[in-house]
Every structure is written in C-alpha cells, then in structure tokens.
C-alpha cells in the first residue's frame, strides 16, 4: 500500500509538473553595475526608444524596416541585371555582337534569323531565372505577411504583419511562434522572465536554449503594464555575430547591462513558454540571421571550367579561319580588275561597292573578316549552356528520386541542393570525412563505466567485434544472451549485475558509486518532459552524450524528473532504507561546456547545506585538475579510459569538490562581475574565474559511451577504396578512439604500417612544465618536421615491397605545425603517399585548412562529408560538400551541395550517379563541339569554293534553327539517359569510376578527336555533295543544281549524319532517345515542307525546293544515303578497332556482359585484378593481404 501510495504521489507530482510552469536554472542575477565604456562609441551607436517607434528621435535615425528580400532581382532590375548575367558569358556576348552586326550590310544573313535563336536561348535562361526568383519572392511575401501581436497604445496589443514592425515596438510572442525581429526580452509567463528558445533555423541545433530578461522588467506580465512603459536601449550596431551582444537599458533613470542572455534572434522559435514580451531592436536586414545569410561559395565543376577553355580554343580557330579567309579574299579582290579585264565578272568589280572594290582591297578584306566572323559563328554552340543547365537539373531530379538513397527510418531522400556539380561527383579523388555522426550514428549508448577504479559493464562494442574478427576470435555479447534482459532502452546498453537493480549498495565503494550517478543526474542542462498518461520521463538535451548520461542515471536508480527555476529534483535510492526518496538540489551556477574548456560544471547546494561543485570533462583536462588526495583511483581509471578508447568508446572523467561558504561567495562575486562585464574580453574573464574554482577535484570515475558505426559503412568504404578513392578521416576524437574506428570500418588493417605523428615526447613535456611558450613552439616545430621527414624516408625505402601499406595518423597539436606554410607541402606529400590518413583532435578550422591543402596541393577533386556545424568550413572549402542530415541539426546540410541521410549512400551517389553524370556531361559537350564543327566547317568549305565571297551555303533559317531544332534534343536525351553500364555493374566493378578521376572522357585528346571527327565529317559531306551534283543534270528535265539545291542537300546530309552519329555514340537506348533522334530528322523534312510552302518573300531560295525539286529526284535520296553512310564509316571503324584491340575499362565490362560471361569467375577475377591496388584500404584489401601472407608463409615453409 505504501508503495502504491508513493507511486500515485509520484504520478501526481509529474502531472503537476507537466501542468505547472517548468522553470529553469539561474546562472547569477544581473548586476546593476557594469562597464558601459563602449556604449555610444564606434560600432555601439544604436539607440532604441522603447514603446516610441513613431517618435521624432526614432524617425531621424532611419533604421531599416522589417521586410526582408532574398530575391536576386526586382521588377525594375530584372531585365538589365538578367541580361547582364546572360551576356557575361563570352559565347552569348559574341552572338549579341553578331546579332547587332546582322542589321548592317556586312551580314551574310537576315537580322531576324540571327536574333531569334539568341532570343530563344537567352529568353529560356531568363525565364528559368525569373521562375526561381519568383519562388523566392513568394517565400518573402509569406514571411513578411506573418502576423504578430504589437502594442498599439493604452495597453492594447493587436495583430499586424511582420513587415510593419519598427525599431522600438513592444511585441507579444506566443508559444511555438517565431520571433519576427531581434528582440530584447522584457518578461515572460515565468516569474523571473525565463523562456526557452529553439534556434534550429539559425545554427541547426535542435536543443533548447535558455534566455532570461532583466529582473527590473520581469514583473511586466500583463498587457496593461505596457501602457506607460518607457525605456531607452543603447547597444551595438547591426552585426553578424550570433553569440555576442553588448548593450544597456536605461529604465526609471537607472542603467542596466544587457547581454546575449536577453537577446532573442529573428527566426528562432519560442518553446515551452506560454508567452514573452520583447522590444524590437534590430529589424529586417539589420537582424543577425539576415546579416549571416551570405551566399555560399560559388562552385563550378572542372568539366565546366575546361569547357570554357575549349570554347576559347574554338574562338581562336574561328578568328584564324576568318583572318586567313579575308587575306585570300583581299588578294582575289585586288586581282579582280587587271587592265580592264574582270576575272570575277559576275561581281562587277568595275562598278562595285566597297565590299568588292579592287581599288580598296584592304578595306574589303577587313569588312570580309567581319562577315566571316559572323558566318563562322556556327562553330560556337549557342545552345550549349542552356542545354547543360537543363540536363543538370534533370540529373539532379534523378538523384533526388533514387529510391536506393532514400532513408525510410527518417523519411529522408537524397537532395541535390545544387545541380552545378553533378559531373564533379564522378571525378572525386579524395574524400575527407568527419567521424562522429558521419561514419558513426551519433546515437550514443551508455555501455561501460569505471567507478572507484573498478570497471563495470559487460557489453561488447562493434570495434571490439571487428578487432576480434581481425584476430580470428569472435566475441560473445553477454548482454544479448542475458535472459533477464528487458526491451532495449534508447541510449542505454549497459549490463552489470554488480550494480544493476540497486545492488550497488553492496559494493565496497558504494558511496563513490552513489556520488558518481548523482553527478550524472545533476551535471547537465537537460530539460525533463513528463508524459501525462504514463508518467514516463524523457529528456530534451544539448547532445546525444548528455541524453545517454541522464538515462543511465535514471536506469541505475537516480531519476532526474524536475527542473525548477533554481533547483533540480530527482528520485534516488536511499542505501540505508532501500526506498526511493525525493531529493532537491538548489542550483547555484552552471559553468557551461565549450570546445576550449572541454568540461562542464554545476555548483549546487544539497539538502544538508553542503555546496558541491560537480564536474565532467575530457581526460586531457580533468586529470591535471585533481587534488593530491583526490587521485586515489587515478591510475586504475586512466587504464580503463585507455581500454575504453581501444574499444572505440567516447570517455569522460567525473570528479567533484566541496566548497565552503567563503570560497563560494568569493567565486560568485567574481563570476557575476565577469558575466555582467560589457567588455570584449567578457568570455575570457568568465573562463578565468571558472578555471580557478574547477581545481582540487576528487576523482569519482569515468563514463564510456558507444557511438556505433552506421549501417553499411565498412562495405561502402571498401567499394570506394576499390574505386581508387582515397579516404581521410578528420575527427575531434582521441587518437585511440579514431584508430579503433579505423579498424572497425576497414580504413586500417593488420599489417598496415602506422605512421603516428604526435608531440607527446619527454622533451616537449618537460618544456611544457617549464612554461616557455617560445621554446615549446620551436621544439614542437622541429619535432614535427623531423617526424615527417623520417616517415617520408620509410615510404621511399619500402617502395620496392609493394605489399606494404602505410597509414598516417596525426593529432591536432601536431597538425597545427604541419599546416604551417613552411611545412604543409612536406606533410601533403607524405599524406598522399599513404593508404589512409586520420587526423585526430582536429578543430573545425583545421578541418577546413586540411581540405584546402588537399584541394590546392593535388589539383584533384575533393569531397568533404560531415553532419555538424563544426563541419561547415570543410564542406564549403571542398570541391563538393556532402551534408549528412543526421542528429546534429541541419547546419551541415544547409551549407552542403548535396544532402544524404547515411554515409553508405555515398557509394551509390559517386559510383553510379557520379559516374553516369560525368560520362553524360562529357559526352554531351564533346558531341556539341562535333555537331557544330561538322556544320560550321561546311560553311567554310563553301566559302573556299566560292572564293570567300561571304555567301552562306544555306538558307538563313536553316542556319538559325540548326542548333535550336534539328540537333539539340538528342543531345539533351544523351545527357539525361545514357548509361555505359547499368547501376549493378557500376557497383560490381568500382574501377569504372577511375575513368572520371583520370578524366579520360574529357581529356584534350578526346575533345580534339571529336573535333577531328567533325572536320572529317564536314569534308566528306561537302565534297561528296558538290562532286555528285557539280556536272551532271540533277533531275530528268536536265536542270543542274544551284545554290539552293546544293545547300538543301548538304543540310539534309548534315542533319542525318549528326543524328546518326548520336545513335552510334549512345550506349543505352530508351524510347525517348529514339523519338528525339528520328523525330529531329523528321522535323527537318516537315520544316522543309512548311517553310517551302510560304511565299518567296519569306522562304526566299527555299521556296518549294523540297516538293518541286528534291523529293522527286532520285539522286537527292541516293546522295543522302551514300553521304550519310560514308561519313559514319571512319567513326564506326575506329570504334570497332578500339573495342576489339584497345578496349577501355567500361568497354571490357560491356564485352563480358555481351558475351554472357558475367558469372564466369575467371573473367570477373581478371577484371577485378585491374581494380585492386596494393595500397588500397577496405575489407577486400584486408582479405587480399591475408591471402598474400598465407602464400608467403607457404613459400617460406617450402
């Protein structure tokens, strides 16, 4: 009955907790004193008149309004800015100039026929830009028209749109609403002006932040309280720093300091708080979130950059042809009139315009050069850019829709956030990966602990399993076999009969165990959520680690269930009575965790009045803070920590100290002064005060949590390694943890020589004790240089033994020196010669610097992949940034080029989509150059044939519509659908990927060979057509072919040839490709019929040319058939010879598939032999190394 009553009381307490206001902790009240020296100075000149937004003083300051605009254009600027964007491209600018010149007498064609294709191409791109910008505009309208309650006077609050807010307005924000501007918090539904804020839209973090208003305004709870409210805020000017704010409020003739604790940022959301009142201080584009919204770095693929160079090369050819042609034309024109004799009498050189005047031959040559530049412009593919954009958008849609990259558990598909880099996915040479949350799940499980020098926990980690598989001794997981094992608890994978179910009271150090789990239940910033129906407690925490600790404490009898304004409440097991009792701890201060402190502490007062400092942190900072009499278990705990790190676990040291009243009061005064300081070194002051109190600690023990490998990571790494991709891991974890994760995911293997670069040498440690920073830096620099040189010599010496593979492992302190200008090239040279590289204890900045070094030093394509805010610099620095949409928020995703849900999807993204996109875009661009050279060079040959008269071979509209209608759709289909091999074969033969890394499909050799093919095709088409029609009668009536007939016949042959060439080049036919290829040819004949039926004033020399002349003539059809076949013979022959005698890797795979040998072990082994390298990593390489060891030992035994 007592137990039942206790449970009922407990449930009632929980319900009350759920229904009542949940307070949080105070970290020191704001002092009325403060350093205001910066206020009013440069950078701190903003003055806000609270509740007086319409006053004269507020008006003359001209602050920005609260509307935001993310669009690239406005209605007034769209046309000029969009046109400028279009004509920044050299090809488009060239066509604009030729279009303008088309209105002069120099033009070899009509102006309309020149301008319309340009209008279509640029217009299509501008429409695309306009649609994208309109989508942004609609989003802006939606945001600007959100509604918020604003004080309109006399204590009345009414709804208005966000865009109407002004600096100084008082607003009332309700629960789960977004903040419309940057606000200073005045009061909330909690008595002490606390509120909880979610900042996911700002920094991607899902944990709640605590904010607190000034004590002096905390009593303003009712709307009516603001009828006469007046205050003046002086603060910093608008800036992008999300985590700092310096200001002061003058209220009732008193000054009060303001800090980030009072600042509520636009686009954050109010959570777990009924309402808040705030004053608007920054609006619109002055808000910190908008100040931070810089455009991501502009990235262009290497293929696209090379394409620009090819276009410049084509321009050179074009200018050369025009220049040479104009010289010949000038010479011929000068010789036209010789002593009254006229050579080209049909041009009437005796009575000619300047364009053919023998007396002004140099001027005629210059004008001809301009005409030729316009005429030969068809060498430049006008529709190339827009076609590539269309293709890349469609390719991105295929990536987004790939069901094999859809993560069902989280309902997250792959998302290509930009389409600019599709083909770059097929050229990645080096992957730089984060570890936590990227290779691992970032879903922590409490699995082991060391308390009072005794190790607890029977679980087996994945790293231990992997290492024992490596040694050939599989481990048995005791937890999995336990008959008493209940349903799994998220975050808790611990089992040890010695301390489970309250049995810890029988352990020799029961008091230490009690303090250990009590610390876990108190030292955190978790917010409890109590289910009203079941009474179960869940926790809102800042990190998965913290969640695992609180859950572990709960499961072992220390259940934290309530956080009040200045206290924490929990149920814990009383070792004397054996009952669960409620304990409340008064929360005095929280010393927060950050990456430089590497620890977190809370100061509490227990029910007996003792003041306790409870601290948890990294071993690198905690052991040095222990008191002399607090090191009783230090040696054993240190051993256990190393064992846990070897097992791939993340460890934290737990320690505490008891403070007397005087110690605490002295600390609290200094801590309050530091927190209330408005100087720039405020954070430094806080850290110094915290550092002094967090000493003389008594060690309790260590925690060990497992961050499991994501499903499929080892297999993915194995496939990527077989593809020849190098993989670097950049992590903030300890070296031992990183090394063991490396073994678990097959980046490291037995027999691989590990080169470890570190600064843990006795000499440097002695210097560190002496504290001479200059000497430490000098010695460290020399040590790193020596280690890198020695490692390079080892690599050089082992070059003869091909089986030896090396792994480079370096810590963060060493990396700082290795990345210096004098040493970074040595470091890079060493790293790229190693099979694996692991950088431990790396800061976010170091990750970005390593990425930049690899990208610039190798000149190869780099890909960075990460999931957290600390990976953003690395993602933006790499050629391609891949964001994992995992647990650590969305900041990495928001800064990435492509987002995926799991690391394993990288395999398909690169080896399938990357390979296809690279091949498609490369082939597409090469084909574009081919078809334009084929067409353009026939114009040049006709020019030569017509003594460079500037007369085109084809009708004006034939010229204009060639790129737009008759040859563009098949090439788009190629770029979207073509496959050299299927996805299954891409994954089965990863070495296919090396074609992209080595850029064999878009090398200058391949580009020039396609261009040569174009020149050969043009020559065959021109000479076969002209010779076939030159002398004999064209039809049964005896008529000979004129320019109209020759031009239409040649153009027909060109259309057939370029489309049939496409059919030969395609590896994978779909219905769409058939429709586009044969449809383009049919469209040409249809166009001839329709255009030829128009009046002669429109159709000019194409008037009824097909119906009356070409179609009835057998010679037209015979010439078309003969020329088309003859032109394709060279390409067909070359392809057949290459396929038979010099096959590329993808052609070998195609051949095996065609021969039906896909399951023949001998053929498969032969192909895979090509794909394996002696220094590769992964499970395949591990097996190969083991087989070599067995073979070598057998040989030695003989």
């Amino acid at each position: 009955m007592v137990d039942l009553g206790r449970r009922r009381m407990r449930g009632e307490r929980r319900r009350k907790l759920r229904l009542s206001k949940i307070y949080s902790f105070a970290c020191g009240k704001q002092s009325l004193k403060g350093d205001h020296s910066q206020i009013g100075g440069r950078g701190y000149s903003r003055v806000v008149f609270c509740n007086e937004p319409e006053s004269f003083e507020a008006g003359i300051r001209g602050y920005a309004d609260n509307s935001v605009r993310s669009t690239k254009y406005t209605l007034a600027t769209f046309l000029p800015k969009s046109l400028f964007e279009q004509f920044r491209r050299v090809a488009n600018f060239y066509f604009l100039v030729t279009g303008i010149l088309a209105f002069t007498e120099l033009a070899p064609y009509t102006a309309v026929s020149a301008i319309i294709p340009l209008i279509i191409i640029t217009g299509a791109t501008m429409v695309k830009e306009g649609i994208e910008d309109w989508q942004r505009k609609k989003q802006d309208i939606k945001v600007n028209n959100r509604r918020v309650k604003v004080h309109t006077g006399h204590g009345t609050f009414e709804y208005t749109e966000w865009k109407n807010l002004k600096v100084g307005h008082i607003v009332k924000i309700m629960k789960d609403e977004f903040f419309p501007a940057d606000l200073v918090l005045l009061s909330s539904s909690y008595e002490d002006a606390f509120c909880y804020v979610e900042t996911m839209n700002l920094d991607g973090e899902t944990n709640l932040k605590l904010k607190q208003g000034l004590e002096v305004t905390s009593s303003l709870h009712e709307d009516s309280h603001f009828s006469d409210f007046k205050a003046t805020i002086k603060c910093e000017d608008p800036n992008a720093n999300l985590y700092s704010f310096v200001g002061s409020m003058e209220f009732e003739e008193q000054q009060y300091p303001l800090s980030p604790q009072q600042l509520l940022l636009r686009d954050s959301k109010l959570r777990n708080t009924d309402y808040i009142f705030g004053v608007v201080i920054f609006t619109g584009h002055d808000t910190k979130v908008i100040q931070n919204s810089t455009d991501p770095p502009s990235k262009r693929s290497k293929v696209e950059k090379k394409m620009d160079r090819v276009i410049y090369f084509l321009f050179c050819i074009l200018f050369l042809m025009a220049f040479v042609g104009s010289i010949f034309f000038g010479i011929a024109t000068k010789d036209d009139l010789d002593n009254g004799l006229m050579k080209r009498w049909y041009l009437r050189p005796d009575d000619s315009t300047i364009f053919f005047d023998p007396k002004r031959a140099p001027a005629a040559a210059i004008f001809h050069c301009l005409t030729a530049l316009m005429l030969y412009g068809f060498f430049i593919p006008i529709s190339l850019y827009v076609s590539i954009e269309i293709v890349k958008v469609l390719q991105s849609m295929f990536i987004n829709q790939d069901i094999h990259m859809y993560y069902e558990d989280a309902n997250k598909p792959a998302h290509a956030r930009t389409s600019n880099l599709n083909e770059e996915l097929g050229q990645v040479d080096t992957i730089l990966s984060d570890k936590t949350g990227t290779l691992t799940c970032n879903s922590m499980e409490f699995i082991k602990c060391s308390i009072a020098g005794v190790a607890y926990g029977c679980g087996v980690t994945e790293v231990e399993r992997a290492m024992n598989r490596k040694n050939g001794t599989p481990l048995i997981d005791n937890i999995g076999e336990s008959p008493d094992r209940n349903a799994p608890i998220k975050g808790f994978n611990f089992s040890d009969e010695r301390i489970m179910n309250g049995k810890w009271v029988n352990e020799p150090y029961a008091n230490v165990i009690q303090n250990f789990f009590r610390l876990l239940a108190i030292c955190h910033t978790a917010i409890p959520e109590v289910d009203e129906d079941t009474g179960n407690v869940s926790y809102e925490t800042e990190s998965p680690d913290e969640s695992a600790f609180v859950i572990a404490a709960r499961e072992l009898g220390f259940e934290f269930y309530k956080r009040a304004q200045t206290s924490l409440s929990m149920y814990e097991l009383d070792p004397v009575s054996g009952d669960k009792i409620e304990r409340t701890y008064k929360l005095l201060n929280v010393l927060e965790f950050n990456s430089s402190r590497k620890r977190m502490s809370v100061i509490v007062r227990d029910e007996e009045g003792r003041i306790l400092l409870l601290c948890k942190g990294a071993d690198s900072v905690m052991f040095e803070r222990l008191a002399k009499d607090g090191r009783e278990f230090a040696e054993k705990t240190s051993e256990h920590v190393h064992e846990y790190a070897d097992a791939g676990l993340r460890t934290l040291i737990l320690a505490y100290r008891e403070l007397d009243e005087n110690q605490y009061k002295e600390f609290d005064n200094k801590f309050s002064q530091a927190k209330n300081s408005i100087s720039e070194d405020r954070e430094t002051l806080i850290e110094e005060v915290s550092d002094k109190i967090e000493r003389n600690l008594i060690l309790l023990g260590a925690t060990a949590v497992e961050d499991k490998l994501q499903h499929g990571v080892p297999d993915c790494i194995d496939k990527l390694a077989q593809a020849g991709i190098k993989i670097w891991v950049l992590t903030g974890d300890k070296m031992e943890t990183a090394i063991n994760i490396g073994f678990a995911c097959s980046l490291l293997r037995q027999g691989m020589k590990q080169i470890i670069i570190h600064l843990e040498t006795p000499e440097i440690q002695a210097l560190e004790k002496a504290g001479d920073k200059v000497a430490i830096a000098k010695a460290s620099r020399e040590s790193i240089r020596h280690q890198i040189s020695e490692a390079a010599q080892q690599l050089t010496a082992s070059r003869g033994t091909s089986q030896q593979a090396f792994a480079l492992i370096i810590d963060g302190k060493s990396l700082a020196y290795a990345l210096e200008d004098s040493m970074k090239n040595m470091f890079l040279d060493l790293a790229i010669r190693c099979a694996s590289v692991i950088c431990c204890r790396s800061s976010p900045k170091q990750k970005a610097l390593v990425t930049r070094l690899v990208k610039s030093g190798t000149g190869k394509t780099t890909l960075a992949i990460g999931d957290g805010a600390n990976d953003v610099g690395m993602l933006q620095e790499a050629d391609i940034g891949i964001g994992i949409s995992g647990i650590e928020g969305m900041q990495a995703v928001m800064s990435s080029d492509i987002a995926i849900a799991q690391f394993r999807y990288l395999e398909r993204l690169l080896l399938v989509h990357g390979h296809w996109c690279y091949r498609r875009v490369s082939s597409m661009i090469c084909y574009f150059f081919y078809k334009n050279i084929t067409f353009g060079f026939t114009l040049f040959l006709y020019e030569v044939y017509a003594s460079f008269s500037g007369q085109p071979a084809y009708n004006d509209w034939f010229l204009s519509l060639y790129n737009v209608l008759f040859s563009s759709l098949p090439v788009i289909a190629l770029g979207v659908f073509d496959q050299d091999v299927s996805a299954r074969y891409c994954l089965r033969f990863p070495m296919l990927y090396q074609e992209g890394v080595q850029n064999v499909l878009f090398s200058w050799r391949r580009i020039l060979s396609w261009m040569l093919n174009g020149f050969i095709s043009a020559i065959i088409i021109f000479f076969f057509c002209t010779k076939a029609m030159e002398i004999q009668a064209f039809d049964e009536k005896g008529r000979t072919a004129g320019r109209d007939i020759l031009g239409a016949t040649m153009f027909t042959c060109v259309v057939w040839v370029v489309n049939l060439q496409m059919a030969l080049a395609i590896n994978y036919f779909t219905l769409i490709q058939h429709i586009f290829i044969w449809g383009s040819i049919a469209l040409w004949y249809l166009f001839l019929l329709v255009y030829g039926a128009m009046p002669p004033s429109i159709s000019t020399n194409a008037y009824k040319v097909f119906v009356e002349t070409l179609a009835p003539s057998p010679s037209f059809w015979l010439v078309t058939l003969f020329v088309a076949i003859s032109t394709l013979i060279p390409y067909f022959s070359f392809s057949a010879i290459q396929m038979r005698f010099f096959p590329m890797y993808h052609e070998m795979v195609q051949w095996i598939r065609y021969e039906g040998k896909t399951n023949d072990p001998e053929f498969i082994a032969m192909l895979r032999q090509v794909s394996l390298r002696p220094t590769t990593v992964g499970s395949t390489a591990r097996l190969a190394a083991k087989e070599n060891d067995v073979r070598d030992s057998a040989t030695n035994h003989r």
Side-chain angles (χ1 to χ4, degrees), residues 1010-1039:
W1010 270 99
M1011 289 183 175
L1012 179 63
N1013 188 23
F1015 284 119
I1016 292 170
S1017 297
I1019 290 168
I1020 293 172
I1021 290 169
F1022 177 78
F1023 283 106
F1024 278 23
C1025 285
T1026 52
K1027 295 302 176 186
M1029 300 181 176
E1030 194 172 34
I1031 303 169
Q1032 70 275 20
F1034 181 75
D1035 58 15
E1036 59 186 14
K1037 295 180 180 177
R1039 290 179 295 189

Side-chain angles (χ1 to χ4, degrees), residues 227-297:
S227 58
D228 298 318
F229 175 76
K230 295 286 185 293
T232 303
I233 293 175
K234 296 179 180 178
C235 64
E236 63 188 24
D237 293 336
N239 61 72
N241 195 328
L242 293 172
Y243 307 107
S244 74
F245 178 68
V246 177
S248 67
M249 176 189 283
E250 185 181 327
F251 179 59
E252 296 178 346
E253 299 184 356
Q254 292 288 323
Q255 293 278 349
Y256 302 92
L258 296 172
S259 71
Q261 193 71 6
Q262 287 82 50
L263 186 64
L264 305 175
L265 300 179
R266 180 189 172 112
D267 282 348
S268 302
K269 182 187 279 190
L270 184 66
R271 294 284 303 275
N272 291 4
T273 312
D274 293 339
Y275 63 84
I276 64 102
F277 290 102
V279 59
V280 176
I281 55 166
F282 297 124
T283 48
H285 289 272
D286 287 345
T287 57
K288 288 182 180 283
V289 66
I290 305 295
Q291 294 269 319
N292 269 277
S293 61
T294 53
D295 293 329

Side-chain angles (χ1 to χ4, degrees), residues 434-505:
D434 175 42
K435 183 186 80 68
T436 305
T438 303
L439 297 175
T440 59
C441 298
N442 199 18
S443 177
M444 308 300 176
E445 288 187 341
F446 187 93
I447 188 168
K448 293 184 181 184
C449 61
S450 170
I451 309 173
V454 179
Y456 295 99
C458 309
V460 179
T461 68
E462 288 191 4
V463 171
E464 287 175 315
R465 289 192 189 94
M467 292 181 72
N468 282 276
R469 276 199 303 271
K470 176 186 76 177
N471 298 328
T473 55
L475 273 175
I476 298 169
D477 191 340
N478 296 333
I479 292 179
E481 292 188 349
S482 174
D484 302 325
R485 183 71 174 159
N486 296 323
I489 299 164
K490 186 178 180 183
F492 187 73
N493 190 25
F494 179 87
S495 179
D496 196 311
E497 291 301 318
R498 291 173 293 173
I499 59 173
M500 297 282 284
N501 303 315
K503 294 179 182 177
W504 59 266
V505 297

